[in-house]
Amino acid sequence: MHPIKIFDFNLNSDLASWKIINDAVMGGVSTSKFYLNTNGNGTFAGNVSLENNGGFCAVKYVFEPLILNNASHFCIRLKGDGKKYQFRVKTHSTDSHSYIFPFQTSTDWQTIEIPVTELYPAFRGQKLNLPNYGGFNLEEITFLIGNKKEETFRFLIDSIEVK
């Protein structure tokens, strides 16, 4: 399979299809933003608060369906802040559940390789008794931070592809 670019960030990137979803949807007060920095990297930054039973910030990207025949890995080039995040995907953007892979960032540029078959199904933080992600269809990706503690965060994304 040839690599498929899901998103390649640069100074001309259109972020209109990227949406912030914070715990305010359930009464929380966490805040975050997603923007291009001066180098053209996607930048996800904010503050996670536990007030009002909150505790997460997320940014999602919904796109036209991609058929991922024989995909084995998601490859994400990013520079983190040493914190733990989740990479989430949805087969269909209307699905209630996501497939999740937690990953640890460093403070250097790194390429995170996520095996497609290791993304497990979950809904509202609860693992579901369903098979892991099949890797055939893809309509949404999300980055989420929710480490059950109050913290500020910031990470940069250079590119996202699937191989």
Side-chain angles (χ1 to χ4, degrees), residues 6 17 61-66 74 90 93 138-141:
I6 295 173
S17 295
Y61 175 51
V62 180
F63 43 89
E64 291 298 313
L66 289 175
F74 288 97
K90 285 190 175 186
S93 60
L138 180 67
E139 292 184 14
E140 179 179 310
I141 61 171

Side-chain angles (χ1 to χ4, degrees), residues 98 100 118-130 132:
S98 296
I100 299 172
E118 289 188 24
L119 286 137
Y120 64 86
F123 179 69
R124 293 187 178 157
Q126 300 299 312
K127 192 170 182 180
L128 301 175
N129 187 21
L130 294 170
N132 281 4

Side-chain angles (χ1 to χ4, degrees), residues 120-162:
Y120 64 86
F123 179 69
R124 293 187 178 157
Q126 300 299 312
K127 192 170 182 180
L128 301 175
N129 187 21
L130 294 170
N132 281 4
Y133 181 58
F136 304 113
N137 194 66
L138 180 67
E139 292 184 14
E140 179 179 310
I141 61 171
T142 301
F143 293 96
L144 180 141
I145 184 167
N147 295 321
K148 298 182 176 27
K149 63 182 176 181
E150 297 199 2
E151 59 187 338
T152 58
F153 67 91
R154 181 174 176 265
F155 85 91
L156 311 177
I157 311 169
D158 179 55
S159 64
I160 306 161
E161 65 180 17
V162 64

Side-chain angles (χ1 to χ4, degrees), residues 4 8 13 18 20 26 38 86 112-113 136 149 152-153:
I4 298 171
D8 193 14
S13 294
W18 290 84
I20 292 292
M26 49 183 265
T38 55
Q86 292 180 7
I112 304 285
E113 292 202 5
F136 304 113
K149 63 182 176 181
T152 58
F153 67 91

Side-chain angles (χ1 to χ4, degrees), residues 60-149:
K60 76 175 181 176
Y61 175 51
V62 180
F63 43 89
E64 291 298 313
L66 289 175
I67 306 303
L68 306 178
N69 293 327
N70 302 315
S72 65
H73 287 82
F74 288 97
C75 298
I76 306 161
R77 178 107 174 109
L78 59 83
K79 182 177 183 180
D81 53 11
K83 296 185 169 118
K84 191 173 188 177
Y85 294 84
Q86 292 180 7
F87 178 67
R88 296 173 164 225
V89 302
K90 285 190 175 186
T91 302
H92 304 285
S93 60
T94 55
D95 289 346
S96 58
H97 68 283
S98 296
Y99 295 92
I100 299 172
F101 186 88
F103 64 94
Q104 183 72 41
T105 63
S106 74
T107 56
D108 297 318
W109 282 102
Q110 63 188 128
T111 300
I112 304 285
E113 292 202 5
I114 300 171
V116 166
T117 57
E118 289 188 24
L119 286 137
Y120 64 86
F123 179 69
R124 293 187 178 157
Q126 300 299 312
K127 192 170 182 180
L128 301 175
N129 187 21
L130 294 170
N132 281 4
Y133 181 58
F136 304 113
N137 194 66
L138 180 67
E139 292 184 14
E140 179 179 310
I141 61 171
T142 301
F143 293 96
L144 180 141
I145 184 167
N147 295 321
K148 298 182 176 27
K149 63 182 176 181

